[in-house]
Amino acid sequence: MKHKKLTNLVLTFGFAFCLLTLTPGGLYAEEGNPASAGLIDKAWEAHGKRDIENTFKYTQQVIDLYKDEADRLQASLTALPKNKDEIEQAAVLNNVATAYFIQAESLMRQEKLEEAKKIFKIIIEKYYYAQAWDQRGWYWQIAETSRQSIKKIETGSIEIEKKKKVSQIPTNIVLYDPGKEDFLVDYEKYGEFKNIGTKEYRYIVKDQEGLTAAVGEGIYPNTTSVRWDPEFKKAQKEKRLEASHWDLLQSPDLEAAFLKWATSSEPPGVKLFYTGLILEKSGLIKHAIKCYYAIVVHFPGSFGWTYWHTPWSVSQAAIAKINFLLRHNPSLGYRLVDADIRIVNGYDNDVSNDIVITNPGRFAKEGLLEKLTPKAPPSKESRRIKRRVGKGTVHLVQYANGHWQLLVNNKPYIIKGITYTPTKVGESPDEGTMTNWMEDDFNRNGRIDGPYDAFVDKNRNNLQDKDEPDVGDFHLMKEMGINTIRWYHQPFKANKELLRNLYKNYGIRVIMGDFLGKYALGSGATWYPGTDYNNEEHKKNMIESVTRMVLEFKDEPFILFWLLGNENVYGFACNANKEPDAYFKFVNEVAKAIKAIDPQHPVAICSGDTLFLDKFGKDCPDIDIFGTNAYRGDYGFGFLWRQVKEEADKPAFITEFGCPAYAEGRTPDEAEDLQAEYHRGAWEDIEDNMAFHGGGGNAIGGVAFEWLDEWWKAYEPSIHDTKGLFTGPFPDGYMHEEWLGVCSQGDGKLSPFLRQLRKSYYMYKKMWR
């Protein structure tokens, strides 16, 4: 259910989220009346505090003032608004439906179930196109959630309605026109490169007919031969091309997806990228590389928008994809050399001032023997330490070649981390029922459940058989090769003895974090408008929170280093996205305060991808490590490492990365394979960018997200929900937040004890040990 309780904030991961739903749009008064969104914020807050009087006061005010406008908006719609702009245009409709929903939820709490049902039915019958914004980062359909609430009232559980799937026969692509040249298209033969390495770069086509014939169908400038492909006519006749190109993107009918995308009206760079992705899925690796490289040559400045409405450089992603494919297909015998896209002013959300500096690079031959030959060890001079950061047993060193390493007891330490927040099925922070995993002892045997009593369901029969003893997560994590967990000292109290045992007996250290005002934690701010990094009172409160953390834990042997924030730059319940300089300057102030108390441990930041990276580099000289949550795809993290090096010259690690073990249209076994391969690609990229490995040289590890599936993420905590919550670079194009664990909880009946180890667990066990 959507209970939002400010008193029960439980924040455990990096997809920015909250437990209070705010509705974008309508923040200003409508025709002299109080803004509907502002009233809804107050209503959620009152509901969270169980203040029934004010809950109904604010919700009824919204209904009385805006019901007529909501009815008009509902009548004007013919379908559920899909993108954020369309949804926000219906803000009043959304807020009125939300007001009814809050009333019904409050009545449920009071056990006035029949009254609650009547209001839920009003939403279902009258406001079926209304949606509410969840600060975890997506919209939810209020009528659908109301149906679930009625089912829960009537049956005590929710019956999940299975989607009727349209039968689609999996197909691969057989190219009608593969082009006269391999992926090594001789672009100089058909045109001229001008001003390479500058913002004036361009490629001028001089023989369009020759280049069209060379590249083959679907690849610019060959925009016509696809329509002459006999399969195109056949697919049209069979009505396989009637769906939108976005809907077909994840279809098993790869042929239809290719034909549709190759003839779509998307911007050319975006069209080429997704066409390449479909070719890649079909195993046409050479044609995919050709497609990706066409972006770099012709459209280096092209960009798309993520679900979060942050700009995405298509050409930088294309270069990363090419490098990934060449690395994973050594028989092709080539590598891409000198290809580079630099975007000046590219770290904010404004693309109008971006300056793109382009070098398309070239393909250089690399024999298989050369690939397999071990690289010469780094020279003694390159390994000379030119800089030490920190004074304790945990510190950082930078070598003469500019590479970085984290040292513990003067030995290199690679962060092989996991986010560990085991949650019992049925518990939810939304309902105020989540407990502290550091204290949970549901079987009352005197031991903490997850760490010590978890068992492996080897045959996946959702029972604990005689040959499946209790082993505990700590043992399983050690076996996997994990040496670090990431944990925040808010809002639950730490069990120090548990963490001491985690380190002493299992060798696993802790990256200890403070949210630094994200989700209004530690700042004393209210959720709306949230933490203000220009507010002296908020800053004072946050420094006091951090100081308490450091004083309490600084002498604990399990501490690896301190971590500040959790992708605050995405701006939920704080203004870091609006005031990035104020935020980063404050982060630096906090880092200095930590070092005055504890010079023995480094200080890191947890940012959101590379948003405002340039401002971080300018404003945070006292932050030792750049950490960031990044979910970019199975090819790794692209230009991130080099960008951190250029903007800040600091070591970097990925504070959070991962992939669901569920994919629409895939069997559980196939989905596990895809999850494992995603993790493999991410870790290989981290490894390739460590010191003396040939990449950026500044990667010091990463924290995979996460250990165990959490069933509450899609709201009904007793159901392992499979709905995609938002789009992203995942196996079926959607994030399924309840399926991110490297372990599952099976059917949930033996939670919090049962563990089914996924293929990603064994993949890491092999790589990390």
Side-chain angles (χ1 to χ4, degrees):
M1 311 307 294
K2 302 290 282 190
H3 299 166
K4 307 296 174 186
K5 300 183 179 179
L6 292 175
T7 55
N8 288 299
L9 287 168
V10 182
L11 305 161
T12 58
F13 68 100
F15 279 112
F17 72 97
C18 73
L19 304 181
L20 172 67
T21 297
L22 300 177
T23 308
L27 292 177
Y28 302 100
E30 291 112 357
E31 297 182 0
N33 293 320
S36 58
L39 291 170
I40 288 297
D41 296 339
K42 291 178 180 179
W44 275 125
E45 186 170 357
H47 181 59
K49 293 176 179 177
R50 297 181 181 269
D51 179 349
I52 296 171
E53 181 180 349
N54 279 321
T55 296
F56 278 84
K57 171 187 170 183
Y58 294 126
T59 53
Q60 197 59 46
Q61 202 172 350
V62 172
I63 293 166
D64 291 343
L65 288 171
Y66 299 112
K67 180 179 179 299
D68 291 344
E69 174 65 8
D71 291 348
R72 186 192 66 77
L73 284 166
Q74 172 69 38
S76 71
L77 295 171
T78 57
L80 189 72
K82 288 190 175 181
N83 62 55
K84 195 172 181 180
D85 290 339
E86 290 177 359
I87 296 170
E88 290 183 6
Q89 287 173 14
V92 172
L93 166 64
N94 299 333
N95 293 337
V96 168
T98 301
Y100 278 119
F101 185 84
I102 296 170
Q103 288 189 353
E105 288 272 288
S106 181
L107 290 166
M108 281 184 67
R109 279 185 180 174
Q110 300 170 60
E111 298 187 0
K112 298 177 180 179
L113 302 182
E114 290 305 313
E115 292 178 55
K117 281 172 64 176
K118 287 179 183 178
I119 296 180
F120 283 133
K121 286 178 180 178
I122 289 173
I123 298 169
I124 294 166
E125 293 168 4
K126 294 191 64 176
Y127 302 116
Y128 41 86
Y129 289 146
Q131 297 173 81
W133 172 251
D134 190 299
Q135 291 285 27
R136 298 175 216 194
W138 52 81
Y139 284 93
W140 51 279
Q141 191 176 357
I142 305 171
E144 180 57 34
T145 306
S146 298
R147 287 189 191 93
Q148 293 180 351
S149 296
I150 290 174
K151 286 179 182 177
K152 189 168 186 178
I153 290 171
E154 294 176 343
T155 67
S157 64
I158 292 177
E159 176 189 350
I160 298 297
E161 295 179 2
K162 299 294 183 183
K163 292 181 184 176
K164 291 183 179 179
K165 296 179 183 177
V166 178
S167 177
Q168 288 182 312
I169 300 172
T171 64
N172 280 323
I173 303 162
V174 178
L175 293 171
Y176 166 71
D177 175 16
K180 293 182 177 180
E181 295 192 23
D182 206 343
F183 69 93
L184 304 168
V185 176
D186 187 358
Y187 278 98
E188 291 185 343
K189 180 179 176 182
Y190 307 107
E192 181 182 3
F193 290 100
K194 299 195 68 128
N195 305 314
I196 289 175
T198 74
K199 63 181 181 180
E200 283 81 27
Y201 162 85
R202 56 195 176 121
Y203 174 72
I204 301 170
V205 180
K206 294 187 174 180
D207 180 3
Q208 181 146 335
E209 185 179 344
L211 182 57
T212 297
V215 295
E217 64 180 309
I219 299 175
Y220 185 87
N222 191 333
T223 58
T224 57
S225 66
V226 171
R227 296 186 182 276
W228 295 106
D229 188 332
E231 295 303 322
F232 183 80
K233 302 290 184 184
K234 181 182 175 186
Q236 277 187 321
K237 187 176 180 181
E238 294 170 347
K239 298 184 177 181
R240 288 159 52 212
L241 304 182
E242 290 188 347
S244 77
H245 53 288
W246 288 109
D247 288 338
L248 280 170
L249 184 59
Q250 305 302 334
S251 167
D253 189 351
L254 295 172
E255 183 177 71
F258 168 71
L259 296 170
K260 188 78 174 185
W261 266 96
T263 54
S264 73
S265 58
E266 291 292 333
V270 173
K271 178 165 74 171
L272 282 167
F273 187 87
Y274 286 108
T275 302
L277 193 64
I278 295 161
L279 289 163
E280 187 183 333
K281 286 182 182 180
S282 195
L284 297 174
I285 303 303
K286 291 182 179 180
H287 212 60
I289 292 173
K290 209 188 299 188
C291 207
Y292 293 135
Y293 193 61
I295 301 170
V296 181
V297 171
H298 299 289
F299 309 108
S302 60
F303 65 90
W305 294 97
T306 69
Y307 180 89
W308 317 96
H309 205 67
T310 55
W312 162 58
S313 171
V314 180
S315 53
Q316 288 183 339
I319 291 174
K321 269 288 188 183
I322 293 168
N323 289 330
F324 173 79
L325 291 174
L326 291 175
R327 186 168 66 245
H328 282 256
N329 295 274
S331 61
L332 294 177
Y334 281 86
R335 58 194 174 95
L336 184 61
V337 178
D338 297 331
D340 191 22
I341 306 288
R342 295 170 186 264
I343 305 174
V344 180
N345 304 322
Y347 295 111
D348 57 20
N349 291 327
D350 180 8
V351 297
S352 65
N353 63 351
D354 288 358
I355 299 170
V356 182
I357 299 170
T358 305
N359 184 341
R362 60 188 174 82
F363 289 97
K365 193 166 183 58
E366 185 176 42
L368 187 58
L369 183 62
E370 184 182 354
K371 281 181 178 287
L372 296 175
T373 301
K375 293 182 179 178
S379 67
K380 185 176 180 180
E381 170 57 23
S382 70
R383 294 190 67 91
R384 177 178 57 82
I385 294 174
K386 71 173 184 179
R387 182 182 174 197
R388 288 186 186 270
V389 176
K391 302 176 181 178
T393 56
V394 181
H395 65 278
L396 298 149
V397 294
Q398 186 176 34
Y399 297 98
N401 66 354
H403 291 187
W404 286 92
Q405 280 186 331
L406 176 66
L407 300 187
V408 177
N409 296 319
N410 287 317
K411 294 181 180 179
Y413 187 98
I414 297 168
I415 300 167
K416 299 173 183 176
I418 199 83
T419 302
Y420 183 73
T421 51
T423 305
K424 188 177 187 294
V425 169
E427 290 186 351
S428 169
D430 293 344
E431 298 183 350
T433 56
M434 186 174 283
T435 54
N436 185 353
W437 66 265
M438 288 191 176
E439 298 174 350
D440 287 342
D441 181 17
F442 290 104
N443 58 5
R444 299 183 182 181
N445 67 352
R447 298 187 304 190
I448 307 301
D449 293 331
Y452 302 130
D453 286 345
F455 73 93
V456 178
D457 179 20
K458 292 183 290 187
N459 58 7
R460 301 197 178 195
N461 66 351
N462 290 295
L463 298 171
Q464 185 171 15
D465 299 318
K466 290 181 180 180
D467 62 343
E468 296 172 344
D470 298 343
V471 291
D473 286 335
F474 286 179
H475 172 78
L476 292 172
M477 288 195 292
K478 179 182 178 181
E479 286 294 298
M480 179 172 143
I482 291 167
N483 62 10
T484 310
I485 65 168
R486 169 189 167 205
W487 188 77
Y488 286 83
H489 80 114
Q490 307 145 311
F492 285 133
K493 182 175 175 59
N495 182 335
K496 285 187 181 180
E497 285 304 317
L498 187 70
L499 294 178
R500 287 169 183 160
N501 187 48
L502 174 67
Y503 172 65
K504 180 180 178 181
N505 292 320
Y506 302 94
I508 298 173
R509 294 176 179 265
V510 178
I511 297 172
M512 180 73 72
D514 184 285
F515 285 107
L516 209 65
K518 187 64 182 290
Y519 325 113
L521 280 172
S523 66
T526 57
W527 192 276
Y528 180 77
T531 301
D532 179 357
Y533 295 101
N534 287 310
N535 183 300
E536 293 303 321
E537 185 66 25
H538 292 180
K539 289 158 69 174
K540 175 176 172 288
N541 291 338
M542 286 184 281
I543 287 177
E544 287 177 356
S545 173
V546 171
T547 300
R548 286 194 298 272
M549 172 185 74
V550 176
L551 288 174
E552 183 176 358
F553 293 101
K554 69 183 179 68
D555 297 322
E556 295 293 340
F558 54 76
I559 293 293
L560 184 62
F561 54 76
W562 310 108
L563 186 67
L564 298 177
N566 184 46
E567 59 186 26
N568 299 44
V569 291
Y570 292 149
F572 297 108
C574 72
N575 67 349
N577 62 324
K578 296 181 179 67
E579 299 284 349
D581 280 309
Y583 169 66
F584 286 121
K585 286 176 181 176
F586 176 64
V587 170
N588 198 64
E589 182 183 340
V590 175
K592 289 195 286 188
I594 290 174
K595 291 177 180 182
I597 303 169
D598 175 29
Q600 302 298 311
H601 297 98
V603 181
I605 192 172
C606 175
S607 202
D609 209 282
T610 56
L611 192 60
F612 304 123
L613 178 60
D614 52 343
K615 294 184 181 297
F616 165 80
K618 175 172 64 77
D619 294 331
C620 289
D622 293 286
I623 289 291
D624 303 313
I625 304 167
F626 180 78
T628 192
N629 297 344
Y631 292 79
R632 294 194 177 187
D634 61 0
Y635 60 88
F637 307 96
F639 282 43
L640 183 148
W641 311 104
R642 196 199 71 191
Q643 290 169 334
V644 174
K645 194 173 183 177
E646 291 173 349
E647 296 295 334
D649 192 19
K650 294 183 187 291
F653 78 114
I654 308 300
T655 42
E656 196 177 293
F657 66 96
C659 175
Y662 175 86
E664 186 70 27
R666 300 282 191 160
T667 67
D669 195 55
E670 290 170 337
E672 279 197 32
D673 282 330
L674 292 167
Q675 183 196 41
E677 287 309 305
Y678 186 110
H679 275 278
R680 182 188 303 279
W683 185 257
E684 285 178 349
D685 186 62
I686 291 170
E687 205 169 48
D688 189 52
N689 285 280
M690 291 178 185
F692 312 112
H693 278 66
N698 58 343
I700 59 172
V703 180
F705 192 86
E706 63 182 320
W707 174 252
L708 188 67
D709 289 347
E710 297 177 90
W711 284 33
W712 61 271
K713 296 290 180 65
Y715 314 120
E716 184 51 52
S718 295
I719 302 294
H720 205 187
D721 207 304
T722 59
K723 64 188 172 192
L725 295 176
F726 55 87
T727 57
F730 306 108
D732 68 354
Y734 286 92
M735 167 53 82
H736 302 275
E737 285 228 56
E738 295 194 356
W739 295 78
L740 286 165
V742 297
C743 307
S744 100
Q745 301 200 60
D747 64 7
K749 292 177 182 176
L750 290 184
S751 177
F753 306 105
L754 181 142
R755 303 287 182 262
Q756 292 177 358
L757 306 181
R758 292 190 170 122
K759 294 178 182 179
S760 50
Y761 174 92
Y762 294 106
M763 182 275 296
Y764 276 120
K765 185 175 181 180
K766 185 175 180 180
M767 294 182 76
W768 283 357
R769 296 203 58 181

